[in-house]
Amino acid sequence: MSAKPNSPVKSLASFDKDLAEISIRGQWQYDEMLERLIGGPKTAALPMMWKWDIVQRKLMEACDVMAESFTARRNLSFINPGLERGGTSQTILAGMQAVKPGEVAWAHRHPISALRFVMDGDPKLFTVVNGEVLTMETNDLVLTPAWTWHDHHNESDILGVWLDVLDVPLMLSLGQMAYQPLGETTQPIRAERHNYLSERTGVVRPLWEQKVGGSMPRRYPWKEVKRQLDLFCEGGPASPYDDVILEYVDPTTGGSTLPTLRCCVQRLRPGFIGQQHRRTASTVYYVVEGEGSTRIGDTELHWGPRDVFVVPTWVWHEHRCGAGGQAATLFSVSDAPLLEAAQLYREEPESQVGRRSAPLPPLDARKA
Ligand SMILES: [Fe+2]
Ligand SMILES: [Fe+2]
């Protein structure tokens, strides 16, 4: 094949246009993008913080503007201005939700995995997940895994408020979005507690039954989490980056909280100054208590109780406990499990995850 002797040669730009008209793109068009990605992974997500005093004001306004909400929509999502598709990070959408006394947020399900970290809870505030009542007391963590039916109930006399974290941007990019309303306000509740699947994932289980696992209703009561957090804080040095950090495990697998999301709680003890590190996971933080600061790239964020901030992928960052002599407690959610599954999880300068062995029995420790 050869061009006719005197036919003018097309410009690359007009050739690109020709190709676009037939739904084709030449790979040379990615050269500029590849240049920009050297040294990555890079995301467009920005280090961001949403201060509680502002969010609280808007949540209160939402309560007035939307006097009633039965579809779980009185929820303020934290949108990272760097991202075109929305989302707090490129995989995670976090927000805060208020449910008034007497409200029931209608039952539905979706492939999105979600979790709730309760900010203002009560024994009479609860989420029903696949027929099981999960009480939402302050600082409890409640999971609604992918495709589980869920509805929220506030039978207390306080305004129920929680941090809502979902893998919406991830599901969007995977083309997995779907939504199924139940068509009725509430789903049936299992009448008998001994039929709860969540009663089969504790320290004992019925031996005559098959093991259960996968998408399970699950609640992590703060009382138990706090007991262990306090306990590990009595020890010596923990992570040089995160101080005392604990993972919420799936008791049926011993692995991450959800297949796509890892939840952690960490305490920066008074005087803690974290070393700088970066990781391929993106992480959303919620300040449970205390004050401190996090330097993310060139951005310094000073945070206090109930603030939310995001550390984007592969950005150098360091945490510091505030100077007031009080410890700070952070709850966080990252997309690490997903990256681990794709063998893309990395940290620099080096990972501290699973680095040290558990304590030896006292006799062996004496010999060592
Ligand atoms: Fe939902
Ligand atoms: Fe970190």
Side-chain angles (χ1 to χ4, degrees):
M1 227 168 36
S2 62
K4 283 181 200 156
N6 291 322
S7 66
V9 177
K10 267 183 200 173
S11 70
L12 188 57
S14 73
F15 183 48
D16 286 344
K17 209 167 146 251
D18 285 358
L19 290 177
E21 277 165 18
I22 52 170
S23 305
I24 292 175
R25 182 178 293 169
Q27 233 181 52
W28 54 87
Q29 291 191 49
Y30 296 109
D31 286 354
E32 201 189 314
M33 184 188 79
L34 293 177
E35 281 294 313
R36 273 187 283 121
L37 291 179
I38 291 172
K42 288 180 184 171
T43 74
L46 303 172
M48 284 288 297
M49 178 158 62
W50 291 268
K51 295 293 286 180
W52 170 240
D53 58 340
I54 297 169
V55 176
Q56 184 185 30
R57 219 176 305 137
K58 292 298 165 194
L59 264 183
M60 293 307 116
E61 268 182 55
C63 286
D64 294 336
V65 175
M66 268 174 286
E68 292 181 323
S69 175
F70 297 110
T71 50
R73 290 290 168 272
R74 201 187 291 112
N75 186 326
L76 306 177
S77 298
F78 301 141
I79 303 299
N80 194 307
L83 297 170
E84 283 172 17
R85 213 202 288 259
T88 314
S89 82
Q90 76 282 358
T91 50
I92 299 170
L93 181 68
M96 282 176 185
Q97 182 164 352
V99 179
K100 285 184 179 179
E103 283 185 345
V104 179
W106 289 346
H108 64 275
R109 62 178 187 166
H110 37 64
I112 298 161
S113 287
L115 56 93
R116 282 157 195 98
F117 191 86
V118 185
M119 298 165 61
D120 290 313
D122 188 281
K124 288 182 177 170
L125 180 73
F126 57 94
T127 293
V128 181
V129 180
N130 279 359
E132 304 189 12
V133 175
L134 306 180
T135 308
M136 300 173 85
E137 294 192 50
T138 302
N139 294 340
D140 285 353
L141 172 66
V142 165
L143 305 185
T144 48
W147 283 120
T148 51
W149 291 107
H150 52 284
D151 41 80
H152 312 293
H153 302 246
N154 189 355
E155 293 180 1
S156 79
D157 47 21
I158 63 148
L159 181 70
V161 181
W162 57 71
L163 174 80
D164 206 34
V165 186
L166 314 98
D167 59 10
V168 168
L170 172 70
M171 291 302 127
L172 269 171
S173 55
L174 293 176
Q176 295 299 313
M177 291 297 271
Y179 181 76
Q180 203 178 351
L182 180 65
E184 289 169 49
T185 312
T186 59
Q187 61 182 303
I189 292 176
R190 282 190 201 274
E192 287 152 333
R193 186 91 202 177
H194 65 80
N195 283 329
Y196 274 36
L197 292 186
S198 52
E199 291 292 353
R200 284 150 173 77
T201 58
V203 290
V204 291
R205 68 171 202 92
L207 192 56
W208 63 92
E209 287 181 9
Q210 288 175 1
K211 285 184 184 173
V212 293
S215 290
M216 302 274 297
R218 190 165 296 128
R219 168 183 178 230
Y220 299 84
W222 178 245
K223 220 171 121 187
E224 290 174 30
V225 173
K226 186 181 177 294
R227 184 191 70 80
Q228 283 194 282
L229 185 60
D230 290 344
L231 195 69
F232 287 111
C233 282
E234 292 169 10
S239 160
Y241 311 124
D242 291 305
D243 206 9
V244 178
I245 183 160
L246 307 177
E247 177 187 20
Y248 288 80
V249 290
D250 174 341
T252 67
T253 63
S256 67
T257 325
L258 286 159
T260 53
L261 300 170
R262 168 169 296 152
C263 297
C264 290
V265 63
Q266 74 191 83
R267 186 166 295 153
L268 310 181
R269 291 171 289 184
F272 177 78
I273 299 175
Q275 287 175 26
Q276 210 183 43
H277 80 148
R278 62 177 179 175
R279 48 192 179 188
T280 52
S282 59
T283 311
V284 174
Y285 291 86
Y286 165 75
V287 183
V288 180
E289 58 188 358
E291 287 176 4
S293 61
T294 298
R295 185 164 188 82
I296 310 169
D298 298 329
T299 307
E300 178 98 20
L301 302 176
H302 293 273
W303 40 257
R306 301 191 165 198
D307 292 346
V308 168
F309 61 95
V310 59
V311 176
T313 296
W314 211 233
V315 181
W316 291 101
H317 61 276
E318 64 196 52
H319 304 295
R320 272 170 190 253
C321 185
Q326 300 293 310
T329 304
L330 303 173
F331 170 77
S332 64
V333 185
S334 84
D335 53 10
L338 184 73
L339 294 160
E340 282 166 357
Q343 298 184 2
L344 291 173
Y345 186 79
R346 282 190 293 137
E347 280 188 44
E348 279 187 356
E350 57 182 345
S351 173
Q352 294 291 321
V353 177
R355 220 174 132 76
R356 266 184 262 164
S357 53
L360 289 168
L363 261 180
D364 298 337
R366 204 190 292 166
K367 280 187 232 148

